[in-house]
Amino acid sequence: MSPRPDLVVRASLAPALRRRRFLTMAGALGGAAAGWGGLGASGTAWAAASGAGVTGPAASGAGAAAGSGAPLSFAVLTDTHANVDATAGLATLRRTFASVEAADPTFVLNCGDITDYGADDEFEAYLSTIPAGLRDRLHHVPGNHEVRWDVHGRELYHRLFGPAPYSFDVGGLHVVGLDPTQLLQEPGHFGRDGLRRLADDLAAAGPSVLFLHYPMGGEHYYVNDQDAFFETVADLPVRAIFAGHIHREQVVRTNGLTQVAANAVKNGAYYYWVDRVAEAGHTVLKVSAVAVAADGTETRRDLTTIPLEEDRATRQLRPVRIDVGAPSGGRVRVDVRVPSTGSTGTQAQVYPQEIFGGGSAGTWADLTRSRGGWSGSVDVAALAAGVHRLQVRVLGAGGARWDATRPFTVPADGDAPRDRWQARLPGSIQGALAEHDGLVVAATTSGAVEAFRPTRAGREVAWRSTVGAVHRGPAFTADGGTVLVPSADHHLYALDTADGSVRWRFGVPDPVLSSPLVTSVGDVATVVFSAGTTLYAVHAETGEQRWKADLHGFFAGRAACDGERVYVGGGDGRAYAFDAATGTQAWSYDTTTRQDSYGRLLYGPWDDTVELLPGGGVLVSTVSSAAALDRASGERRWSVPGSYVYSPSPVTERGVVLIDEWGRVQLVDPATGTPVWKAEIGARALNAGPVVVDGLMWNVAVTGLLACVDLADGTVRHRRQLGPANTFSTPVLVDGVLVTGDQDGTLRGIDLP
């Protein structure tokens, strides 16, 4: 077939895989996203994931409506997980693409997890499996495996496939590629701006098909703000969603649309064939599952039929009104008014906020039919004080359902943390907050940097500045005169804390996706940080490079320094010590027994906040253990099993606080690793570290649960649910006010007891 003009791409993409040829020293994302040179990069790019917008050929509502009854066929596949070490998997991928090409689809959708961890050679391996006849018809969205460990900060993905999210029109069908992935993180999050742009894109569209990596609704809780997504599209013409991630097949009719979660190509040459046909006077998408055997033989079976007209029967399940009462006696009452026909039952539960990037069948309570709807109550006795969500599910015939959420608040009793004020910044506050002498600096993924002084009544903004996207926390110099801000735009910025002006900027070939460490080396204030696979030491006053060293892999954490050596994790599964004055390697320590590159990255200290221990030790953590190493030799002194790589492990007067990613806490002796006590926060903890003051540890879990642990005995003294958004940002404490930041860009001032 002849390719559509707006789908034509360059014949060979191999040169784009030579990183140094296409990544410039500064602003590489803008250069990578400019134009439509990438594979399957067609249509309108209405919001690049990094915040950079790129416009291609415009989609139009009129075009979406034209030819809606004409035959149209396309293929969907997902979770290809290309890995150069997995030759059998690449053979499976070639077999799959050969079958797809022979079927001659109008276009092909890949729902993400294209590679195992986004390495250059993995993308090259993936591209090598695609027949030339399919290249102009392939459309991609990234999965978490493209962005979780992405040393390029999405740049390579954008260069190869174009910006995401984006949309295009084919034969009267509007197709939207969504991207709720979060750089350096596992789960998804659209954000307010992303949902607004989605609504704008769909406003003038005809029947629309969305594809993304994560399935949403039903038992799935992989996208933190999926309830806001469903509210956004409730009155828009979304008819189908195709997704992957779960590596199994599932069809769900929810909220007026049909979602197909597809089996993974990785599991054995699976893909899905979709035909637009007329059936009984209606236009539908007929979806078939295709399995390709080793000899190329295909087995096809009908999977589901998706109406392209409004599914009025399912929309009759949409609640007209949901009333949630104030909690009383450990329960909360809910009344749901639904249209008089269609519903066969209604359930309610507390939204499982504790499910982080996972699935849950739920703990649903059946409501009783009442006049005009359904009524009942839900047990909330075990909930912490604070803001929660109630999830309501209206059930209909044939497995159809409609989900909706409403907020409610559990009041605090007695002496407890209390919200004092809130403010919102554009983007997500993903990195730790920084504080010096009462001045707090927050930076976001949209590049907003704000300095303010918190009070119990609110915050007094000192200045605002703008840099490239920030994914890790800034740091102050010892005198507080400069704040160092790491940016994905290939710069470390030194901002004057008096007015936010740029004192200097240090450019590197790669995105800066680590937290800077400000230290003293030979009485010279020095900033240590990593970018790409390189460790840099820079003069804090002038921005001049002192030295750089090879980390042999990606590191997104924070180094430690005792003035003699710099200690850091490497993406090759090893921990390193470098001479602090020269950058000469002193020793390395192998943290994992894994032998493949993918395993050594995942099971190494790639995201660790390295900590100095008293008595000449240094603490390095992975998903398998926390190990105390001798600073001089690198020999292991002790280790504690557990996944401690994500949360910082502060050294206190009582001992070292270890927090694993499941929210289990223990205080250990820094000399021996012997536990003093163990406790559980009650929610998962990732990246956001604790604040320790007056013998108490205040920690915000990834679910937004604030917990206070007494370091004397491990007693959990307070718990408060701050809100619905995930939290990866370490808070700060100023004059009794705890300041937190979350993925919704919300700053909170919390009055501590």
Side-chain angles (χ1 to χ4, degrees), residues 437-461:
D437 197 24
L439 184 68
V440 178
V441 173
T444 76
T445 56
S446 71
V449 183
E450 181 174 290
F452 59 93
R453 294 189 180 277
T455 68
R456 280 176 168 77
R459 81 195 199 287
E460 300 172 355
V461 177

Side-chain angles (χ1 to χ4, degrees), residues 278-283 309:
E279 188 175 84
H282 301 282
T283 305
E309 300 166 3

Side-chain angles (χ1 to χ4, degrees), residues 4-230:
R4 292 170 52 224
D6 61 332
L7 295 182
V8 175
V9 299
R10 62 180 177 271
S12 174
L13 294 171
L17 291 165
R18 306 300 181 254
R19 296 182 61 244
R20 301 305 177 189
R21 297 183 186 178
F22 76 84
L23 295 181
T24 59
M25 286 293 289
L29 183 55
W36 286 99
L39 189 65
S42 61
T44 300
W46 40 269
S50 66
V54 179
T55 301
S60 69
S68 59
L72 177 73
S73 299
F74 62 93
V76 180
L77 51 84
T78 188
D79 292 274
T80 49
H81 285 275
N83 186 321
V84 291
D85 296 324
T87 55
L90 294 176
T92 298
L93 187 49
R94 290 188 181 92
R95 190 165 73 248
T96 305
F97 275 133
S99 177
V100 171
E101 182 186 33
D104 196 21
T106 304
F107 58 90
V108 184
L109 306 179
N110 186 326
C111 294
D113 277 5
I114 303 163
T115 65
D116 264 345
Y117 66 102
D120 298 24
D121 57 0
E122 290 185 335
F123 277 116
E124 189 168 11
Y126 171 76
L127 294 175
S128 73
T129 68
I130 302 172
L134 274 187
R135 289 196 166 212
D136 64 311
R137 289 177 272 174
L138 265 167
H139 299 262
H140 300 79
V141 289
N144 55 295
H145 278 249
E146 274 72 69
V147 302
R148 181 76 191 276
W149 307 279
D150 186 5
V151 66
H152 308 298
R154 300 180 192 262
E155 292 173 2
L156 179 55
Y157 175 89
H158 286 186
R159 174 54 62 100
L160 295 175
F161 307 120
Y166 61 97
S167 61
F168 61 95
D169 294 288
V170 179
L173 192 67
H174 189 65
V175 184
V176 181
L178 294 176
D179 179 19
T181 60
Q182 301 176 96
L183 193 62
L184 306 178
Q185 302 298 341
E186 180 76 12
H189 182 81
F190 288 104
R192 292 164 292 150
D193 290 342
L195 292 175
R196 176 183 54 78
R197 287 190 287 262
L198 173 61
D200 291 345
D201 179 82
L202 292 171
S208 300
V209 170
L210 278 52
F211 72 109
L212 75 164
H213 185 60
Y214 307 99
M216 295 181 290
E219 68 193 53
H220 307 300
Y221 298 92
Y222 302 102
V223 178
N224 180 229
D225 55 353
Q226 64 180 10
D227 53 338
F229 164 83
F230 283 115

Side-chain angles (χ1 to χ4, degrees), residues 458-538:
R459 81 195 199 287
E460 300 172 355
V461 177
W463 49 262
R464 294 186 176 101
S465 185
T466 302
V467 298
V470 180
H471 295 275
R472 286 295 189 254
F476 281 93
T477 54
D479 63 4
T482 304
V483 62
L484 288 308
V485 181
S487 176
D489 72 358
H490 297 228
H491 288 86
L492 177 72
Y493 289 88
L495 305 183
D496 192 314
T497 56
D499 57 10
S501 61
V502 177
R503 297 187 62 189
W504 54 260
R505 59 172 63 88
F506 184 80
V508 291
D510 305 279
V512 184
L513 301 176
S514 68
S515 299
L517 170 75
V518 182
T519 186
S520 181
V521 179
D523 296 327
V524 176
T526 303
V527 187
V528 178
F529 68 98
S530 67
T533 62
T534 303
L535 183 68
Y536 295 90
V538 176

